[in-house]
Structures are given as C-alpha cells and as structure tokens.
Amino acid sequence: MRSDSFDAIVVGGGLVGAAIAWGLQRRGLATALLDEGDTAYRASRGNFGLVWVQSKGLGAPWYQRWTRASAAEWPALAEDLGARTGEDLGLRQPGGVHLCLSDTEMADRAARMARMQAEAGNHGFEYRMIEAPELRAMLPGLGPRVVGASWTPYDGHANPLRLLHALHGAFTQAGGAYVPNARVEAGQAAPRDFAVTAGGRRFAAPRIVLAAGLGNADLAPRFGLSAPVRPQRGQVLVTKRAAELMPMPTTTIRQTQEGSLMLGDSMEEVGFDLRQSPEVMRQIADRAVLCFPWIGRLNIVRAWSALRVMAPDGLPIYDESTRFPGAFTANCHSGVTLAGAHARLLAPMIAEGRLDPMLDPFTAGRFDVRAAS
Ligand SMILES: Cc1cc2nc3c(=O)[nH]c(=O)nc-3n(C[C@H](O)[C@H](O)[C@H](O)COP(=O)(O)OP(=O)(O)OC[C@H]3O[C@@H](n4cnc5c(N)ncnc54)[C@H](O)[C@@H]3O)c2cc1C
C-alpha cells in the first residue's frame, strides 16, 4: 500500500492529541491526526471544564509548575484559536476556591496548601485560606455548613467542547489532515521512521506522538514506550440555567458561560464501567446543595459519566522512546488545564525532536516499567 508522508503523525484526536497536533501544524509541520472515533473512550467529550491549578502537584512541585505554566498559556491559546476559528472558548480565570464543609476539612486543606507553598520554594505559590464570613461576601448564597475555603488566583474554567472543536478547526484550516474512524493497532517503528495503517490508509512520518488516551496502554509498547494508564470514572450533573451568578468556579461546582451549573465530579475505580450510579449522583447533588442551598431549586437537565486517563501516580506521562527516537507519548488526567502547555510548550519540543529536561520527571520510567519492544 502506498504511504501518505507527513512530518508528524499524532494518534488520538482528543484534547491531548488535538492540542499537540495543532501545535505541530502551527509550527509548519505537515501533521496527520488519526482518531479511532465514537467507539473509543473519550474523556475529552465528558469532562468538567476546569482550568485548575490549586490541587495539582502535592509532593511533585514540577507538576505544579507545569500546570501553572499551562494556565498562563491559556489566554494566548484562547485568543489565537478564537481569532482563527471564531470560537469563543469561554475562558474565565478569576481564581477559584475549594470549599470546606467542616473544621477537619478546613484544617486538612490548610495543611495541604501550606505544604504546596513550601514545596514551590522560589517559584512561589500564592494562596489564602478564607474563613466563612469573608467567603460569604465573595460567593453570595453560600450555605451555613461551609466553614471556609482555600483560594488561589491561578484557577479558572472554559468550555471544553468548544476547545476541542476549535483545536480541530484551527488544525484543519492550517492544512492539517484530520482522519476520523482511523484506529491505529500497530505500526512499523525504526528510529525517526514510522508507518501506521489506519482507516484503510497508510501514513508515514519521522515523528509519531501517541496521544490515544486510554488506548495508549496497548499502543505504547509497540513503539518502545510504556503508558500504564487506567480508567477512573467521573460523573457530572448539569442543572438548568440559574438566575444566580457564581463569580468563580469551585473544585466541584462551576457555572457555564450560558448559566447552567455543572456539578461533579466523582473519582471512581470501576474499570471500564461507564454506567451512571444513582448513589454517586445523589452524593454530588447533596454536597452541591450544602455548598449553595439555592442549587436545590434547579432541575438537573443532563448527567453523564466518563473515564479519566489516570497514571498510577496521577501525574502526566510524557516520554520519548530511547529505542525508537521520534516516538513520543502524552497522557494526562487534566487535558483541559494542560491544553495551553500541550499546544504551546510541548508541541514545539516535539517539533524540535527533543523533550525539555523540565519534563524528565514525567517519563514512564518513574514507574520502573520496562518499555516492551
Ligand atoms: C468526569 C471527568 C471530568 C474531568 N474534568 C476535567 C477538568 O475539569 N479539567 C481538566 O483539565 N481535565 C478534566 N478531565 C480530564 C480530561 O477530560 C482528560 O485529561 C482529557 O480529555 C484527556 O484527553 P485525551 O486526548 O488524552 O483522551 P481522550 O479524550 O480519551 O481521547 C483519546 C482519543 O484517542 C482515540 N484513540 C484511542 N485509541 C486509538 C487508537 N488505537 N487509534 C486511534 N485513535 C485512538 C480515541 O478515539 C479518542 O478520541 C476530566 C475527565 C473526566 C472523565
């Protein structure tokens, strides 16, 4: 079969693959973006939409720095994609809060935030623990059970479906080849020389990026890499549009640009089970109503579950194969938050053919898993 030749192949058209593919194409690399399609697990179509920093990287300050760098890249990403596609990504970065419903939760949170600040060292980490009276002025309608919150200025949210749509749109407008219904199962690998067959076509390139979400676990060993990711289920509820305005997102409640509230999200270790569970939905709704009692008056209009792409330690995996240089992996469980970094920092590294040493702590070698041949 004749091959279509590209400068780069990206496998997986979710938020991670699309951000990288767009970043590569933007730098002038002819890129093919191959996506399995509707039968695959697709976290990018079922997430919560936070661009979230404050909970990231306890015990791993390099992850905190990478997440902060991504949040800082987001405004330029949103502006660039907006100018090219006309899509308003709904980015708002007013800061965010993690609400605490008991003194124990507040004390635990305070200890966590203090540790993160200490670990950040010279890089700094700005946060405040805010007691209920001050918090009530910041967040009208707060329930009496809320005793306080942690706040950082770095947090925000965006519309994740518009982000995905805009990444695909900008990519194809710039001449990128998006190929849906193209599941990659195997390929030929040699240093800086890769070929895969998908969707009845053969694609060849000197670089390949495996960004197939949960599909990476099977795919990575075929390219001398390892991606020991597992599914973790999350459930999300959406209310009808509210008259009330929520000035900033919380870890589990955010108001969309259109006015609906999104409530969630759970962290359930249930394998590939995508069913929704009434008990978990009830817990999500109960906690939301404790935080803001007026939410109890709003009907739920939609609910879903989706599977996160989770590494054993919850951190991203970025790697280049030592056996087959030019083959890269990219996995993470915060693909909305990290879209800025993926498009604007990681893609240029891949284009240059070398990951920056700042990403060394993210290699799969940290799990002591030997990349299969
Ligand atoms: C409930 C929930 C809430 C979340 N909330 C947030 C949040 O608030 N903020 C945040 O930053 N992140 C959040 N996330 C995480 C975020 O959604 C994921 O990190 C991100 O979507 C992962 O993107 P991905 O491209 O790696 O994976 P996916 O979206 O799963 O995409 C993988 C793609 O690869 C394709 N594929 C798979 N196998 C193959 C193959 N063999 N060949 C070709 N294509 C293949 C699939 O078709 C799919 O399109 C949440 C996730 C969930 C589930």
Side-chain angles (χ1 to χ4, degrees):
M1 192 186 293
R2 197 180 62 82
S3 294
D4 293 329
S5 293
F6 291 87
D7 297 321
I9 297 166
V10 178
V11 183
L15 282 172
V16 175
I20 295 170
W22 156 236
L24 294 174
Q25 188 70 37
R26 183 169 170 267
R27 287 179 67 93
L29 273 72
T31 302
L33 177 58
L34 313 180
D35 189 61
E36 176 175 348
D38 288 341
T39 52
Y41 297 102
R42 297 165 122 183
S44 302
R45 286 162 167 80
N47 67 67
F48 198 63
L50 292 177
V51 178
W52 204 248
V53 173
Q54 69 167 280
S55 318
K56 308 285 173 58
L58 181 67
W62 50 92
Y63 181 36
Q64 166 69 213
R65 287 199 287 282
W66 181 240
T67 305
R68 287 252 303 271
S70 191
E73 292 291 339
W74 245 100
L77 176 72
E79 196 183 323
D80 189 11
L81 290 176
R84 290 168 192 263
T85 65
E87 198 90 62
D88 175 0
L89 304 194
L91 175 67
R92 304 281 181 274
Q93 292 177 299
V97 287
H98 176 88
L99 300 178
C100 301
L101 293 181
S102 68
D103 291 337
T104 312
E105 279 187 23
M106 190 74 173
D108 288 350
R109 190 70 182 177
R112 179 189 175 100
M113 299 302 276
R115 214 181 124 197
M116 283 181 66
Q117 190 177 57
E119 288 174 355
N122 294 338
H123 295 277
F125 177 70
E126 188 184 344
Y127 80 96
R128 285 183 59 215
M129 296 304 298
I130 302 178
E131 303 284 338
E134 184 183 348
L135 198 60
R136 277 179 220 298
M138 287 169 64
L139 296 170
L142 209 60
R145 280 280 302 277
V146 179
V147 300
S150 61
W151 167 89
T152 74
Y154 315 113
D155 301 309
H157 53 151
N159 182 321
L161 292 178
R162 290 210 185 139
L163 167 63
L164 186 63
H165 196 241
L167 286 168
H168 280 218
F171 173 71
T172 49
Q173 271 177 39
Y178 173 58
V179 189
N181 305 313
R183 177 179 161 83
V184 174
E185 288 185 27
Q188 287 171 9
R192 302 191 202 292
D193 183 11
F194 303 95
V196 296
T197 305
R201 290 167 63 187
R202 189 177 151 91
F203 302 84
R207 293 174 195 78
I208 188 164
V209 184
L210 306 179
L214 292 166
N216 263 12
D218 284 341
L219 221 43
R222 299 169 194 270
F223 294 86
L225 288 154
S226 165
V229 288
R230 68 171 197 283
Q232 184 192 64
R233 189 172 71 188
Q235 299 188 51
V236 177
L237 314 182
V238 184
T239 72
K240 69 173 195 173
R241 294 177 186 187
E244 290 82 353
L245 286 182
M246 192 176 281
M248 63 178 65
T250 84
T251 327
T252 58
I253 306 169
R254 78 175 188 95
Q255 188 165 36
T256 66
Q257 218 179 348
E258 295 78 18
S260 304
L261 295 180
M262 291 181 68
L263 318 176
D265 47 350
S266 54
M267 295 176 186
E268 303 163 69
E269 299 297 338
V270 292
F272 285 89
D273 182 351
L274 255 178
R275 286 175 299 179
Q276 293 168 264
S277 95
E279 311 85 73
V280 174
M281 292 165 76
R282 173 181 288 278
Q283 283 165 20
I284 291 171
D286 283 350
R287 187 165 174 108
V289 172
L290 284 176
C291 293
F292 295 96
W294 52 269
I295 291 179
R297 297 196 309 272
L298 304 172
N299 285 343
I300 300 294
V301 294
R302 285 184 70 201
W304 65 78
S305 69
L307 300 179
R308 287 188 195 81
V309 182
M310 196 58 81
D313 59 2
L315 270 54
I317 301 173
Y318 306 115
D319 228 337
E320 180 176 12
S321 170
T322 44
R323 184 160 175 218
F324 303 120
F328 298 87
T329 41
N331 274 120
C332 72
H333 78 80
S334 288
V336 184
T337 307
L338 293 178
H342 291 161
R344 300 174 63 83
L345 303 177
L346 178 62
M349 296 177 203
I350 293 171
E352 295 297 325
R354 194 171 152 268
L355 297 183
D356 189 281
M358 74 187 288
L359 297 185
D360 285 353
F362 295 109
T363 64
R366 70 187 189 268
F367 306 121
D368 202 25
V369 187
R370 283 184 46 174
S373 53

